[in-house]
Amino acid sequence: MITYQDYLNVGQDDAARMDFVLEVIATHKRSGLYKEAVDAENYYRRKNTTITEYQKLLYTISGEAVPDNFSANYKLCSGYFQRFVIQQVQYLLGNGISWNEEGTAERLGEKFDSQVQKIARDAQIGAVAFGFWNYDHLEAFKVTEFAPVFDEEDGSIKCGVRFWQIDKSKPLRATFYELDGYTEYIWRDAGGEILVPKRTYIQTQRTLPSGDVEIIDGYNYPSFPVVPMWANENHQTELVGIRTGIDAYDLIKSGFANDLDDASQIYWTIANAGGMDDVDLAQFLRHMKTVKAAVVDDVGARAESHTIEVPYNAREAILERLRADLYEDAMALDTKNISGGAVTATQIEAAYEPLNEKTDMFEYQLTDFIKRILALVGIDDDPTYTRSVMVNKAEEIQSVIQAAAQLPEDYVTEKLLTLFGDMDRIDDVAAMKDEENMRRMPIGGSYGSGAPNDG
C-alpha cells in the first residue's frame, strides 16, 4: 500500500513524480478494494461473474475432467444486486435534496442532486466513490477510476490519481490531484509526458486585447477537494454477504433451464437389434433427425422413443427460498409482499422497516460526505431528504379527511394533493377555492357581519 508519507519522499522531480503516479495506479489495481469493485460492477451490469465463468464438465472413466460441449449450458444472470442498489439509492435520494437556507441549491449547481445520486450508487457498488468539487460543480469518480492515497497518521486522503484508458492499445491518461493543485499526464508508446503542468484548483483569468488568456491569480481549497463517500461503516461493497446467494440462484435456475432443454430431446431404445454396432446406431439417429424415419434391418427389432420428465417442485421451492433470503439479507423491500389485496398502512410500514434501518445507516455516510463538500464551497447548511414510500392511498385520504376539522385548511389541501400526486397544481386549487368562497359570499355583505339585514 502506498501512503501520503511515501509521496512526501518523492520530491519535485518530474520523472520521479510520473513513476510515483504509475506505481499508485498499479498498486490500486492489485488491491482487494479494486478487484471487489470490478466484480461488483459486473454484478450490477447483470454480468454475474460466477455464472458467466461456469463451465460444465464431464468425467472420463479414468476420472479426468473434460469440458462438456454437448449438453445445454445456459448462463442466466439475475438482477438482484442492481435492484437492491437502485432501490436504496432512489428510496433516499429519489426526491432530491432539500436545504434550510435559500441560495444553497443555486450555489451547488443544477446537477448537484444527480451527481450525488451517481456517487451514492457507485459507493454502494464499489464500497466507496468520490466527489470532486470543481470550482462550481460536483464531479463523480468511481473507485475503479480513482486511486486514493491515504495519510498514515489520520487516515484521510491527501492526494490521489484519476486514471483512464479506453483500450490497452490507446494512451493512458492520468490526473494527479494534490493539496496544492493538480497535474495531467499521458503515456504513449514512446513514454510518458506532462500534458498539463501543475496548476491551482481555482484561477483568476482575464482576456487580453490580443485574445490571449492571462492568469492573474490562483488559489486552492482549504482541504483536499476529492471527498470519499463510503457505502457503510465496514467500508465494503454491498455485494458482500449476498453474492453467494445470487450465485446459488443463478446456478440452480440455469441448471433447471439446461435440464429442460436436454430433456426436450427424444432418445431411442432399439430392442432385438444386437447386430447393430455404433456406426449403425449413429446412422439410425441421423435418419431420425433428417428424414424423420429409419429402417431397422434385424428381424423382430423394434425402436421405441422416450422422453424425460424433469423434477420441478423442488427447484421452484429452493428458488423461492433463495429469493426470500436475498431480500432479507439485503434488507430490501420485496414489493411482492405488499402488492396484492387490501394491504393496511401498518403492514406497509412493517415491510419498509428493514429498508428504513439500512437506509438510516447509509444516510450518515451520505450526510457526512455532503457536509464536507459544503465546507469546501463555504456553505453552512444541513441537507434533508424525503424518502419515497408506498402508501395505502384510500386509508391515508380517509385519515386526513377525518382530521380535517382540527387542521388548517391549507395543510389539508396540500396533504391531499400530495397523496393524489398532484402537488404541481396547488396554486390552481388555491385559486379555485378562493373563487368558490367569493361565490358563496352574501350579496352586499360579508361573512362574520353582526349587523341585521333590514331588507
Side-chain angles (χ1 to χ4, degrees), residues 223-243:
S223 60
F224 189 56
V226 181
V227 179
M229 180 196 296
W230 294 97
N232 47 61
E233 60 182 2
N234 297 322
H235 291 187
Q236 62 188 21
T237 169
E238 288 294 325
L239 184 62
V240 172
I242 63 172
R243 177 174 179 171

Side-chain angles (χ1 to χ4, degrees), residues 409-421:
E409 186 176 352
D410 290 343
Y411 174 82
V412 174
T413 302
E414 181 178 337
K415 190 68 175 178
L416 290 174
L417 288 176
T418 300
L419 291 171
F420 287 130

